[in-house]
Amino acid sequence: MVEQYKDRKKQNSLELRDQQINALNNWVRLLQKALTVEAENGFKNIHGRAEHFNSFLSREIKEFKSPLLSNEIDKKLTLFAKSFDDYPTSDLPIKRRLIIDARQLLYRLSKEYQIKDIPSPPKLRMSDSQSTANDIRQHLRIDSPLGEVKGVGTKMCECFAALNLFVIKDLLFHYPRDYVDYSSLKRIFSLVPGETTTIIATIRRSNSYTSPRNQNLSILELHLEDMTGRIKISKFFIGRRFSKRSFLKKQESLYPKGTIVAVSGLVKGNSYGKSFNDPLIEVLEHKQALLKSQTIGRILPIYQLTDGLKADRLRQIVHSVIPLALDLEDPLPVNTRESLSLLDKGEAIKQIHRPRNQEYLKKAKRRLVFDEFLFLQLGLLKRRLELGKCKAPSLFINKEREGFTEQFLKLLPFALTNSQQQVLTQIESDIAMSKPMSRLVQGDVGCGKTVVAIAALLRAVESGWQGAFMAPTEVLAQQHYLTLCKWLPQLHVTVELLTGSTAAKERKRIFADLSNGNLKIIVGTHALIEESVSFRRLGLVVVDEQHRFGVNQRNLLLNKGLHPHLLTMTATPIPRTLALSIHGDLDVSQINELPPGRTPIETQLMPSSERYQAYEAIKEQLDIGSQAYVVLPLVDESEKLELRSAIDVYHELSSEILSEYKVGLLHGRMHSSEKKGIINKFVNKEIEVLVSTTVVEVGVDVPEATMMVIDHADRFGLAQLHQLRGRVGRGTKDSKCILIDTAKSLASKNRLEVLVNSHDGFEISEIDLRLRGPGQVLGTRQSGLPDFALANLVNDETILESAREEAEKILKSDPDLIQNKLLKIMLDDYWNRLVTKTQLN
Ligand code: ADP
Ligand code: MG
């Protein structure tokens, strides 16, 4: 133990000295460079980025401290600093002399302290084992069952099946979800804690012991050295049987003194210096020996695993079948690949599993992401083309007489904004045509999309057709139904509500009225499309908050053979590129102004310690006759998360803090009639404070509510918070939103600040996308894209654009993909996978 301690101390001081030398080295170089530049520029006392040459030099010399510098040198340097203060006013010969002297001193320093360049990184000779593996292609094919691969037994087949992997091709398309990069080779001196890396070094000493505190833990320590420094490696053995002296001695003997090893791992750093814990190690016969390991010094793929499937095993199996990737046919012709500088498919698959280096990994990703985009775009564009061929009812407007729409607009207590009017006009011209409209209306929360939708639905009715208005939640469907009931009876237009909780008898009557055409407008949840609802003459379908539906749900209607016009609406706007990628089959229009008279919702961030202040603020609002929301992420307490829940807070507020006010509770687990009752009470002011989960996110429209407190705001996405906040500020009174941040981190605070500073839904969702990435914000479900491709959307817009262009080009010359058979097969396959995936969600 004593020896160990000494050794540690020695290593420490060695490292410390290394660091000091390094610092001095950097400093000397910096000054040398400045002096050279000044001399080259004719001693004009040039101005650098921040200051003049002389003040830079004088400051650097005064500030730099190093224990390596002797008193004598220190004194000399002080003199130099002084001389440089006078530099600007000195004559040229004096300037020149000063610079020569300074250079000489620096040169002396660099010699004296043996400032050395860190030697270039070591080299590793790695084998390309594929040469032997190639014979796998003689007895296996790309669609052979995985069970036929050497080393894969029934057990493993079951594991693969759990991951939806059945044939070799599936495995090749099972892309890594991440990588560990051991490909950078380094000298010990330049190792940085936290990095993964590879070194080549010589064993100086090895020893092993069983932890005195834990007999189950035995440790082998190797002390390595290269020409630049030393480092310790610890290998851990867990289990009693490893504590045997004989076992540990044997381990030591595997690494005798003087042996050369290659080591890959994560560099740790603590007060005892740098080390590797349980790295990958291979003993090399000599420095240039060929490495046997297939992991050391490489970029290792990390796969999604399942119980019973070990990372190493999976890596080996994938590795063994990679040669078969060469048999994959490439759906893209050579000239396309060349013009877009894309790798060929087989090579891309090979590099994604076993990247030669970071550059190849990037190339491989680019190619595979391109394919994902291409198939998605092909599918969307193709559907658009096909849709264009379908016949839709032409909902023609008779401008001569006043229609339902005009009457409705007259009834409204306000005029449409310009933006609303423009979008409505656009919709009207779309639905007047005999090809089906597919339009997405994006507009910030509160911009008034509902009235536009109603106006459009009434156009359908006045030209003799029916309309359907679909919402993602019962609450919202109910709200829309109430809104419609406010206006339609006055126009003698019939409207009904159909949701999962509509009673059977009622349902039957509605079905009958829809199919005989007596019922003109139906509002509901996706019960509308999933059940065997048949319409007499369905002319227009409006899908509200379409981001809440999956890509495929909105197309269910079309698959049922219906070709009404389709209007979709969302308050979660997304940037153009992203919109193109996931709504490539839709035309997009925007309502980009809010109705007049709205004051921005004053938004405030509060730490949880100030929560009581938020409740005080609620009281103030209630006392002047307003209403308030308190929003929480959970219904009731959860074992895993220490969060305040809606039920807890409801009890707390109603029995204590706000006991003299009328408090209500609303959450998604309530029965829908119960929900309905609560919302009605809130609308009628029988409830003053509504404690709720995010079920209020869409659909509750109570202009008297002017205050919202969102607890655990850090648990929500920005776009969602913005949408929630949009529940207040619906009237003309000033409104307020308090976000309680319980995360206690700067990152969370900064993120939530975005809402304090911005009220623009587009801006907010763009920031949200940048912060959380589209995978988090949109999810596979909405976008139809795998996370892997999604991740690239924000970073690599150009690839999406080129995929889209390519898809357009292909379909233009070959709309049914008759000449591109392979592409057609792969496209069908792709969409099948997409549909099963989205259904599974
Ligand atoms: P969203 O676009 O978020 O769905 P809504 O359609 O629910 O917004 O409208 C929000 C509120 O604004 C409703 O109370 C609606 O009656 C009102 N509103 C809509 N258009 C106008 C307008 N042009 N002028 C004034 N108020 C309007
Ligand atoms: Mg809405």
Side-chain angles (χ1 to χ4, degrees), residues 546-558:
Q546 78 91 38
H547 61 281
R548 292 281 203 101
F549 292 96
V551 229
N552 287 293
Q553 259 170 330
R554 72 162 182 251
N555 297 302
L556 265 173
L557 271 171
L558 308 177

Side-chain angles (χ1 to χ4, degrees), residues 414-417 420 444-451 545 595-596 598 701 730:
F414 47 75
L416 292 188
T417 61
Q420 282 171 315
D444 210 343
V445 52
C447 71
K449 293 181 289 294
T450 319
V451 287
E545 305 296 343
R598 300 269 172 86
D701 186 13
R730 305 205 133 220

Side-chain angles (χ1 to χ4, degrees), residues 324-337:
L324 288 161
L326 297 176
D327 297 345
L328 280 170
E329 280 181 283
D330 199 317
L332 291 181
V334 185
N335 52 6
T336 311
R337 287 194 320 250

Side-chain angles (χ1 to χ4, degrees), residues 259-327:
T259 312
I260 295 167
V261 287
V263 177
S264 284
L266 172 71
V267 183
K268 299 246 168 169
N270 60 21
S271 50
Y272 295 127
K274 286 177 268 190
S275 65
F276 283 106
N277 285 352
D278 269 330
L280 306 165
I281 309 178
E282 180 173 323
V283 172
L284 300 178
E285 270 170 41
H286 51 87
K287 280 208 169 92
Q288 277 81 40
L290 192 67
L291 193 71
K292 291 188 205 77
S293 162
Q294 293 299 323
T295 49
I296 289 175
R298 294 185 190 268
I299 301 176
L300 289 190
I302 311 281
Y303 295 98
Q304 185 202 341
L305 295 172
T306 179
D307 272 352
L309 193 59
K310 290 240 171 65
D312 285 347
R313 279 302 283 143
L314 180 57
R315 225 176 262 144
Q316 274 168 17
I317 305 276
V318 174
H319 184 197
S320 74
V321 300
I322 286 177
L324 288 161
L326 297 176
D327 297 345

